[in-house]
Amino acid sequence: KQAENTNEYKCIQMNKSVTDSDSDSDSEFSNENINNKEKNKKKNACAKDFDKANYKKPTEAESKVFFALLKAFNDALTENGSQIAHVRMLSPSRVEALRMLLIDYTQPQIIRGFGNAARSPYLNGKTRDRRRPADFDWIVQYDNFTKIFEGGV
């Protein structure tokens, strides 16, 4: 069986209707801005308002991708001597967080982000501002991951 394209994975809550009250329709960028605002609102709604009642069990292809990402996360921690705790299980909220990341990031990009997290003194709790290591659930939150991927954490 051929694996599905990871960019096609969507958060189940992406189907929820989100309206934008911005009435700036005169701007040449208004439709693009509205689309970006709606996309961000939907992403944040998925990440913050996880609803077990609407949880969609991962397909076999998705499961393979998710478990490969978990293994890559744990491998990055081991290779870098990280203080971040290894992941042992794939919970529904973790499935949804990974689905969100796979909308905008490829598997290699996510793995690169995991390496950045494993090497980060801040995320390992080795700075004056942060004495406790981050955890997987914090790292895979969309906004946090974006900062990690870009090297800002």
Side-chain angles (χ1 to χ4, degrees), residues 113-127:
F114 290 161
N116 291 350
R119 289 184 296 275
S120 167
Y122 180 77
L123 295 179
N124 279 280
K126 295 181 178 179
T127 65

Side-chain angles (χ1 to χ4, degrees), residues 5-142:
N5 181 348
T6 58
N7 290 330
E8 293 178 3
Y9 296 134
K10 303 290 183 207
C11 175
I12 56 170
Q13 293 190 12
M14 292 293 285
N15 295 329
K16 287 187 175 181
S17 174
V18 176
T19 59
D20 191 304
S21 60
D22 191 3
S23 60
D24 185 18
S25 58
D26 297 332
S27 169
E28 65 182 273
F29 299 108
S30 65
N31 287 339
E32 182 179 323
N33 288 339
I34 289 171
N35 289 339
N36 287 338
K37 286 179 185 178
E38 285 181 7
K39 185 176 179 182
N40 288 335
K41 284 181 185 178
K42 289 175 186 177
K43 283 181 185 176
N44 290 334
C46 289
K48 294 178 184 172
D49 301 327
F50 175 70
D51 181 8
K52 283 188 178 184
N54 291 325
Y55 174 67
K56 180 182 166 190
K57 186 176 179 180
T59 64
E60 186 177 328
E62 282 181 313
S63 291
K64 287 179 183 179
V65 170
F66 297 150
F67 283 110
L69 288 172
L70 293 185
K71 183 181 180 331
F73 178 78
N74 289 335
D75 290 348
L77 299 180
T78 301
E79 290 169 12
N80 292 285
S82 177
Q83 299 298 308
I84 300 169
H86 285 69
V87 177
R88 291 185 174 83
M89 65 178 284
L90 185 62
S91 66
S93 60
R94 289 174 176 173
V95 165
E96 292 306 316
L98 291 172
R99 279 182 174 144
M100 292 304 307
L101 292 179
L102 287 165
I103 291 172
D104 292 327
Y105 296 96
T106 64
Q107 279 182 268
Q109 288 175 321
I110 293 172
I111 292 168
R112 190 173 327 126
F114 290 161
N116 291 350
R119 289 184 296 275
S120 167
Y122 180 77
L123 295 179
N124 279 280
K126 295 181 178 179
T127 65
R128 187 180 318 156
D129 296 334
R130 186 173 182 96
R131 298 279 184 211
R132 189 180 71 179
D135 62 16
F136 181 80
D137 298 314
W138 187 89
I139 290 168
V140 295
Q141 289 177 15
Y142 190 87

